[in-house]
Amino acid sequence: MVEGDTQWTYPDLATGIRGLNSSGVAIRAAGIAGAEVVSAAHAAALQPFLQPDGSLRIGALYGPSRPDLRPLSHRATAWQCPAYDA
């Protein structure tokens, strides 16, 4: 297993909210709490990633957090979201 980094980018906040709202978990939450509540939560969560031009850039490092530990399954290993400073 190797570490790597990736970046999620959205052209604007509205597109980022639509992207997050499209997940199965968000759709379920919207059915319970309402779409407006879920959209507001996503908007708040995305605020730290807003760029001066209005786009969103979310950096993420993935892979094992300690090389001596094995992942619990073949799926995801530890996720870390460091501050993106570009």
Side-chain angles (χ1 to χ4, degrees):
M1 186 72 55
V2 295
E3 287 188 358
D5 63 62
T6 189
Q7 193 174 105
W8 294 347
T9 58
Y10 296 103
D12 52 49
L13 184 59
T15 304
I17 292 169
R18 280 195 309 273
L20 294 181
N21 284 354
S22 69
S23 75
V25 173
I27 292 168
R28 174 84 169 131
I32 295 168
E36 297 80 17
V37 172
V38 174
S39 292
H42 285 151
L46 291 172
Q47 289 300 314
F49 304 102
L50 273 174
Q51 303 301 303
D53 66 358
S55 68
L56 292 162
R57 188 171 23 200
I58 306 167
L61 176 65
Y62 64 92
S65 58
R66 287 181 38 197
D68 58 323
L69 296 179
R70 294 186 199 159
L72 294 176
S73 72
H74 66 283
R75 296 183 189 176
T77 59
W79 283 85
Q80 300 170 347
C81 296
Y84 185 82
D85 50 298

